[in-house]
Amino acid sequence: MFTSADSDFDRRHIWHPYTSITAPLPVYPVARTEGVYIELSDGRRLIDGMSSWWCAQHGYNHPELAAAAQRQLETMPHVMFGGLTHQPAVRLCRSLKTMLPANLDCIFLADSGSVAVEVSLKMALQYWHARGEARSKFLTIERGYHGDTFGAMSVCDPVNSMHSLYRSFLPEHIFAPAPQSRFNGEWLPGDIIAFQTALAQNHRSIAAVILEPIVQGAGGMRIYHPEFLRQVRALCDEYGILLILDEIATGFGRTGKLFACQHAQVQPDIMCIGKALTGGMMTLSAAAAARRVAETVCSGEAGVFMHGPTFMANPLACAVAEANMQILQRNQWPQQVAAIERHFQTALSSLAGHPNVADVRIIGAVGVVETRHPADMAAMQKFFVEQGVWIRPFGKLIYLMPPFITAPQQMLKLTGAVAAAVGENRLFRQP
Ligand SMILES: *Cc1c(COP(=O)(O)O)cnc(C)c1O
């Protein structure tokens, strides 16, 4: 039982994501999870619309993931990766090699998404160092999100991630405007011009371009035209600059392709993956690099890639991730994601005309309703819980990225709750 003393302790002593310690918003105690359900400690069962932030792609407590964890727990939960190796890491990386873009040949396993981003940035820096060039700038676009550690934060949207707070510490990189062309809309050729200019003017100091392919997640849930990504790839090739694609949110089927870069048929030089890698069971991430990049990195002064997390290639996480790759390789996800997308098309698109709605955006199993006014977080969260769903809006964004296994009736409950929330003026902070 989660007691009121537990709640008091939590409020007083435990920091939640992006939360005040003095005036925290309410948090809901969870007792257990199962399939698409999150069960609160008071017994209420909520249909999950978030997949725990992109992660639990096949729902919670998946028996195959649990069995893989159990088996691994009995033989070897963890062992250091320096000087040692193991089957769970080899099996996982074998699977990843068949699934990742074909040019990505060398895999660095890390512990969280942000760390994978740090690793990718360090790879790019070492790549240029080895080539005898001092390059330390990254080029990216506004509205991006790449994680909360300093390197990652330095390439996040400067406004959303409050670069001003950390100005004295944060490296300054180069930002171009985010593309305006919508995923399914017309390509507006002007979209690439500022990016092209930034590249032309700074290419001698730029180590790499880093982007979220097609879907900009936590920075605003924007979904852009694949032509932008194609042109970015072509420009990187023209200037000989590395392209890092951050697929931490989009990877493993969420957008209707295994990786979002496939919407544009481009391959990055380095790719970051994480989030759904273990099917939402535990943390694991990776940065995968083209062999040419990896070999150049290791031909430099250091002779090695200078990174090595304590829990690198944690066998427990690798075993679970490999079980998740097996589920994905059975290939049920494309139909599941397509069904969710069709549901969003009927249930969410119709909200576009509502006076409280500014925009509706859909790709694969991601449905976004951008409202005209920011949500009153506490009130809207409570409203959704009362409707029997777990949906966590931020700012003007109410978005759904449910587990792929969500059934049509459950989808109806999720989108019905969003439609109901949109109709309640009291759930929005009015100007
Ligand atoms: C979540 C996310 C990250 C950071 O991953 P963490 O595991 O939270 O450190 C980086 N990039 C993208 C695109 C993400 O969505």
Side-chain angles (χ1 to χ4, degrees):
M1 248 312 269
F2 199 91
T3 63
S4 64
D6 290 337
S7 275
D8 291 344
F9 185 91
D10 186 292
R11 261 182 94 78
R12 180 145 186 84
H13 298 289
I14 309 181
W15 237 313
H16 285 260
Y18 293 95
T19 295
S20 163
I21 205 81
T22 52
L25 287 174
V27 288
Y28 294 84
V30 184
R32 57 182 60 80
T33 53
E34 183 69 51
V36 299
Y37 288 100
I38 294 176
E39 188 181 314
L40 301 182
S41 66
D42 63 12
R44 284 184 288 180
R45 279 156 64 85
L46 310 180
I47 296 173
D48 175 39
M50 307 304 295
S51 299
S52 282
W53 282 335
W54 313 88
C55 294
Q57 56 177 173
H58 310 297
Y60 298 95
N61 311 21
H62 194 289
E64 287 170 56
L65 303 187
Q70 212 95 53
R71 275 195 307 274
Q72 192 56 41
L73 201 52
E74 280 158 19
T75 51
M76 177 174 62
H78 183 66
V79 68
M80 65 188 278
F81 210 50
L84 298 172
T85 192
H86 46 75
Q87 197 111 65
V90 173
R91 285 210 181 111
L92 170 62
C93 291
R94 273 215 174 97
S95 287
L96 285 175
K97 287 250 316 114
T98 67
M99 297 164 82
L100 290 168
N103 68 319
L104 299 177
D105 215 27
C106 302
I107 300 168
F108 188 99
L109 295 162
D111 15 28
S112 75
S114 301
V115 174
V117 169
E118 300 292 330
V119 162
S120 72
L121 301 177
K122 285 174 74 172
M123 281 179 180
L125 295 175
Q126 270 195 252
Y127 171 88
W128 287 106
H129 193 270
R131 293 174 53 131
E133 285 194 46
R135 295 192 180 206
S136 60
K137 293 290 177 200
F138 291 92
L139 170 60
T140 184
I141 53 176
E142 290 164 359
R143 312 292 204 95
Y145 178 76
H146 298 285
D148 288 351
T149 51
F150 276 102
M153 196 168 44
S154 71
V155 288
C156 288
D157 184 79
V159 179
N160 285 340
S161 56
M162 300 207 155
H163 282 198
S164 55
L165 270 181
Y166 312 100
R167 178 150 296 145
S168 58
F169 193 77
L170 215 54
E172 278 185 25
H173 296 302
I174 304 161
F175 290 84
Q180 296 299 314
S181 309
R182 298 169 69 95
F183 180 70
N184 279 320
E186 198 190 329
W187 165 244
L188 312 167
D191 262 358
I192 196 69
I193 289 175
F195 184 91
Q196 190 169 17
T197 308
L199 197 53
Q201 285 172 347
N202 301 288
H203 69 95
R204 281 187 193 81
S205 59
I206 294 174
V209 167
I210 178 165
L211 294 177
E212 293 156 281
I214 309 297
V215 180
Q216 294 187 285
M221 300 299 289
R222 302 175 84 257
I223 309 172
Y224 65 82
H225 200 290
E227 183 60 20
F228 183 79
L229 199 53
R230 276 193 286 274
Q231 299 211 8
V232 165
R233 176 71 271 184
L235 286 165
C236 287
D237 289 340
E238 185 184 331
Y239 286 102
I241 284 171
L242 300 177
L243 177 59
I244 302 170
L245 291 183
D246 178 349
E247 293 258 12
I248 290 165
T250 48
F252 304 109
R254 177 58 60 181
T255 69
K257 302 274 188 196
L258 196 52
F259 295 100
C261 63
Q262 293 166 341
H263 290 287
Q265 288 141 336
V266 301
Q267 297 188 339
D269 302 299
I270 304 173
M271 183 189 279
C272 304
I273 52 175
K275 289 205 164 105
L277 177 55
T278 64
M281 188 102 125
M282 67 236 298
T283 182
L284 183 70
S285 71
R291 179 157 294 277
R292 168 184 74 89
V293 174
E295 287 182 353
T296 305
V297 162
C298 300
S299 72
E301 179 193 327
V304 299
F305 178 54
M306 287 296 288
H307 204 94
T310 305
F311 281 92
M312 186 168 185
N314 172 245
L316 204 46
C318 288
V320 171
E322 168 55 10
N324 191 40
M325 296 307 109
Q326 294 300 322
I327 298 171
L328 285 168
Q329 283 171 1
R330 288 206 296 268
N331 230 30
Q332 289 167 317
W333 65 266
Q335 294 92 299
Q336 293 171 326
V337 171
I340 292 172
E341 178 163 8
R342 279 195 302 275
H343 178 84
F344 283 154
Q345 294 292 1
T346 29
L348 294 184
S349 298
S350 56
L351 296 178
H354 193 284
N356 283 342
V357 173
D359 193 20
V360 173
R361 305 188 278 273
I362 295 162
I363 186 171
V366 183
V368 184
V369 175
E370 184 173 331
T371 55
R372 296 210 183 272
H373 304 296
D376 174 336
M377 274 289 281
M380 196 176 284
Q381 193 80 90
K382 183 160 176 282
F383 177 84
F384 281 134
V385 169
E386 283 162 358
Q387 300 273 317
V389 296
W390 180 246
I391 300 171
R392 186 165 171 80
F394 70 84
K396 295 179 184 170
L397 299 169
I398 305 174
Y399 60 101
L400 295 171
M401 38 206 196
F404 299 170
I405 57 164
T406 311
Q409 288 306 316
Q410 297 164 334
M411 286 303 304
L412 269 174
K413 262 198 100 165
L414 287 171
T415 51
V418 172
V422 159
E424 297 266 350
N425 288 335
R426 67 180 175 91
L427 300 179
F428 296 95
R429 288 196 278 127
Q430 302 297 331

